[in-house]
Amino acid sequence: MPTSHAPSSLPLFDKVRKFRAVGDLQAVREAGIYPYFREISSAQDTEVIINGQQVLMLGSNSYLGLTNDPRIKEAVCEAVQKYGSGCAGSRFLNGTLDIHVQLERELAQLMKKEDVLLYSTGFQVNLGVISAIVGREDCILADRANHASLAAGCQMSPGKTFLFSHNDMTSLARRLAHLPPEAPKIIVVDGVFSMEGDIIKLPELVKLAKQYDAVIMVDDAHSLGVLGEHGSGTASHFGLVDDVHLIMGTFSKSLASLGGFIAGDSDTIDYLRHHSRPLVFSASMSPANVAAALAALRIMISEPERMQQLWANTARMKQGLLSAGFTLGATETPILPVYVRDTMKTFAFCRRLQDEGVFVNPVIPPGVPPGEEILRVSLMATHTFAQIDRALEKFQMVGKELGII
Ligand code: PMP
């Protein structure tokens, strides 16, 4: 029977053909250890349901454990009743609600910046900010381990990008010293690195930025709710808010929603409002997402004990993994990379842990450099010590079984 499908070997889709031909992926699927797109049929909480099995969630970015909070769900329901399900337009035209502006105001206060602009995802923030502000003559200095969205923003900008070694201020200094003194420069970094879990060496970076007259942009996706006063991020953690010109944040992690923002001086933010394409030409955050982020933000500020618990949970898990003999690298945060250093073994480890009721994320290149494959464990404020101890028991058992410890 002829089908209506188009032929599968169009030259245009060469990359797709090559992807399909990769034997590794097939082998991973055949071995039953393919770890991606696992279907969860419950809320994102400390325990989730996968294929009818209850598993302990140690792979969520919901650091404050707010994604299933009844107060936030209530706020979302109220917003949907009042504003409907979508805004049907961009912020620039018909898509600005009073609650968008309210969220921007409260964020500006928290971040101690003049103004804030919301985008519909954090990825769009990084794309939209860097590509809009960096001109042809400008230089970007970027950490090699920066998030893919920062790298995409750099690629989309007409300026030149210079990479420096991960969190290595000597490497950054070397790069800066070789650039023309008159060229405008921006240093773009993650505050907390999303896979490695280490914190940017901001005090040294600020010194260099001052020496070479460079602007700083920090991606605080994994720092919000984790570091700083009221969870306001990396710059606050180091007492350097006035020295970091632009701070990016997302609502898809601690703030239990979807969307992102950029905080900075009012001139830059106003420029972005009118020139940043992912902002001007994409629909605004939905009412439900805004209401969730606003409610989560208020809870983050009024319940500092959540952040304290997150750190207590992190300390317990980290200590347990280290004393079991696992290697965790330079992490300083609730992101704990367990080094396996082999792709198939990482997938097998992940699969066996899931069989034993523990969900973690396997990260292989390009998420990490080749040879640095990890299981990425991330903690939430709402994990109990009993859950953490159960996870540690399983890690130890499977780690021994696979010869990792
Ligand atoms: N920056 C970093 C460091 C991230 O980890 C992520 C999300 N993985 C983003 C930006 C993008 O954020 P969002 O999920 O809101 O698109």
Side-chain angles (χ1 to χ4, degrees):
M1 274 272 289
T3 70
S4 59
H5 292 300
S8 60
S9 55
L10 293 172
L12 184 63
F13 303 128
D14 202 37
K15 283 186 177 174
V16 179
R17 279 197 298 118
K18 281 187 184 143
F19 170 77
R20 280 175 33 168
V22 172
D24 288 358
L25 187 58
Q26 191 131 351
V28 170
R29 284 190 165 129
E30 276 166 14
I33 55 174
Y34 178 76
Y36 301 119
F37 299 96
R38 285 175 275 177
E39 285 179 34
I40 295 173
S41 51
S42 63
Q44 184 82 190
D45 215 323
T46 59
E47 309 259 347
V48 299
I49 307 289
I50 300 181
N51 290 333
Q53 181 198 3
Q54 183 163 325
V55 291
L56 177 52
M57 174 49 80
L58 275 171
S60 178
N61 294 312
S62 176
Y63 299 115
L64 296 177
L66 288 172
T67 36
N68 200 27
D69 188 284
R71 295 165 293 180
I72 298 179
K73 293 199 281 191
E74 185 65 34
V76 167
C77 293
E78 279 171 20
V80 172
Q81 286 303 333
K82 179 168 176 184
Y83 299 100
S85 55
C87 294
S90 93
R91 289 293 305 279
F92 194 63
L93 298 172
N94 56 305
T96 292
L97 299 172
D98 51 3
I99 49 173
H100 286 116
V101 179
Q102 181 64 25
L103 179 55
E104 287 172 340
R105 254 189 231 126
E106 294 191 24
L107 279 166
Q109 214 168 5
L110 172 76
M111 304 305 290
K112 297 198 166 78
K113 290 290 175 196
E114 285 175 2
D115 206 354
V116 160
L117 182 59
L118 305 180
Y119 286 68
S120 299
T121 68
F123 203 105
Q124 288 189 20
V125 177
N126 286 337
L127 271 189
V129 172
I130 301 173
S131 63
I133 63 174
V134 175
R136 196 168 301 283
E137 305 305 320
D138 305 341
C139 298
I140 306 172
L141 294 112
D143 189 292
R144 268 191 195 283
N146 274 351
H147 189 257
S149 54
L150 288 174
C154 295
Q155 275 171 7
M156 261 178 58
S157 89
K160 275 211 178 73
T161 301
F162 300 88
L163 298 178
F164 59 91
S165 305
H166 173 51
N167 217 352
D168 180 342
M169 295 304 119
T170 313
S171 171
L172 172 60
R174 224 179 292 126
R175 283 286 188 204
L176 283 163
H178 280 100
L179 296 176
E182 69 284 0
K185 302 167 192 75
I186 181 167
I187 304 170
V188 176
V189 289
D190 282 5
V192 167
F193 288 88
S194 55
M195 299 300 146
E196 296 79 2
D198 52 341
I199 304 172
I200 188 72
K201 291 176 182 148
L202 197 60
E204 288 162 85
L205 189 145
V206 163
K207 267 192 209 142
L208 286 170
K210 284 186 175 161
Q211 188 183 339
Y212 290 94
D213 205 15
V215 165
I216 302 173
M217 174 173 171
V218 172
D219 176 333
D220 259 349
H222 296 275
S223 326
L224 282 183
V226 175
L227 295 176
E229 190 186 7
H230 304 305
S232 61
T234 316
S236 165
H237 171 71
F238 287 110
L240 293 169
V241 172
D242 291 341
D243 296 298
V244 175
H245 308 87
L246 294 168
I247 302 177
M248 171 274 177
T250 171
F251 304 127
S252 66
K253 306 188 193 310
S254 287
L255 294 173
S257 182
L258 183 66
F261 70 88
I262 187 76
D265 64 281
S266 47
D267 284 344
T268 304
I269 300 298
D270 205 35
Y271 166 78
L272 290 170
R273 238 180 229 121
H274 296 91
H275 290 278
S276 180
R277 291 209 230 173
L279 184 279
V280 176
F281 297 101
S282 187
S284 60
M285 278 177 75
S286 76
N289 287 334
V290 180
L294 198 49
L297 181 71
R298 290 170 181 170
I299 293 173
M300 177 175 91
I301 294 168
S302 64
E303 297 180 359
E305 62 275 15
R306 284 182 176 269
M307 204 164 97
Q308 283 161 15
Q309 192 56 46
L310 172 66
W311 282 97
N313 290 349
T314 300
R316 192 175 184 93
M317 188 75 198
K318 187 175 182 179
Q319 193 44 50
L321 287 169
L322 286 173
S323 33
F326 290 104
T327 308
L328 300 185
T331 181
E332 304 165 85
T333 63
I335 299 167
L336 304 178
V338 176
Y339 282 86
V340 182
R341 304 190 193 282
D342 177 278
T343 296
M344 290 301 262
K345 224 177 205 184
T346 302
F347 289 162
F349 198 0
C350 177
R351 173 74 228 182
R352 283 289 298 120
L353 280 172
Q354 187 181 318
D355 294 342
E356 297 296 330
V358 179
F359 185 110
V360 288
N361 290 309
V363 187
I364 63 164
V368 287
E372 305 269 294
E373 295 79 5
I374 56 166
L375 284 187
R376 180 184 183 276
V377 174
S378 45
L379 277 301
M380 295 160 73
T382 42
H383 282 128
T384 62
F385 280 0
Q387 286 175 318
I388 291 169
D389 294 346
R390 172 152 50 99
L392 284 168
E393 218 174 90
K394 303 297 184 188
F395 259 91
Q396 200 156 0
M397 186 182 102
V398 179
K400 276 191 186 144
E401 181 186 306
L402 297 177
I404 292 158
I405 49 170

